[in-house]
Amino acid sequence: MNSIVSLVVSLIACFTAAFVGSRWLPDEWFKKLNKPSWNPPNWLFAPVWTILYALMAIAAWRVWEQAGLSAAPLLALFIVQLIMNAAWTWLFFGRHRLDRAYADIVVLWILIAATLIGFWQVNPLAGLLLAPYLAWVTFASFLNLTIWRLNR
């Protein structure tokens, strides 16, 4: 497949997940929750996630370009983690289910780690590009757990 086309497809996949997740954003319910002192300001999330989704798209594109159809299982794993990513936002902000959002983010973390390892084996730079995403989701996992505990 043409390199530009595969990059565009990767970007569309990642930013579709971003768009779906953005349907549920912090609202009055979230403002009223008890949060730890280390909770980042709301304005920080959009730029961080924009960068992360771009890095994710480039990582998937590099794997696709290097391995072609043999990367299909890895790319399927990548898509599954994108779905879990969008599901977290729906569970946390849409359904107000801090417990289920936490369960989702734990599974998401495992899927990201597996994807990172798989991408690394195909293209080390692609794996490295997922490291900031894994780091952010690690932080978000602790934040989700802390907010859940503070609001039981």
Side-chain angles (χ1 to χ4, degrees):
M1 179 177 283
N2 182 315
S3 185
I4 298 297
V5 172
S6 59
L7 176 59
V8 168
V9 169
S10 295
L11 287 164
I12 289 171
C14 289
F15 284 97
T16 297
F19 175 76
V20 169
S22 74
R23 301 301 84 208
W24 302 278
L25 296 172
D27 56 10
E28 287 304 313
W29 165 82
F30 182 72
K31 288 178 188 175
K32 293 177 185 175
L33 290 177
N34 295 317
K35 295 177 227 36
S37 60
W38 46 272
N39 186 73
N42 286 344
W43 63 263
L44 183 64
F45 290 92
V48 167
W49 276 109
T50 300
I51 292 166
L52 293 176
Y53 281 118
L55 293 174
M56 291 160 49
I58 294 167
W61 168 68
R62 290 185 60 87
V63 167
W64 190 359
E65 282 294 301
Q66 186 158 341
L69 288 178
S70 68
L74 267 179
L75 295 172
L77 181 61
F78 181 78
I79 296 298
V80 170
Q81 69 79 27
L82 282 177
I83 292 166
M84 294 298 288
N85 178 309
W88 180 88
T89 309
W90 173 71
L91 289 166
F92 193 94
F93 293 114
R95 303 284 298 160
H96 304 164
R97 292 301 309 256
L98 304 175
D99 54 346
R100 291 186 184 169
Y102 181 69
D104 177 276
I105 206 167
V106 168
V107 173
L108 174 60
W109 190 96
I110 293 166
L111 292 170
I112 296 167
T115 304
L116 186 154
I117 292 166
F119 277 21
W120 182 276
Q121 291 171 346
V122 173
N123 183 292
L125 179 56
L128 190 60
L129 289 170
L130 292 183
Y133 178 36
L134 185 61
W136 184 260
V137 170
T138 300
F139 170 75
S141 299
F142 287 111
L143 183 59
N144 186 153
L145 179 61
T146 303
I147 292 172
W148 177 29
R149 287 183 172 170
L150 289 172
N151 291 281
R152 284 201 226 186

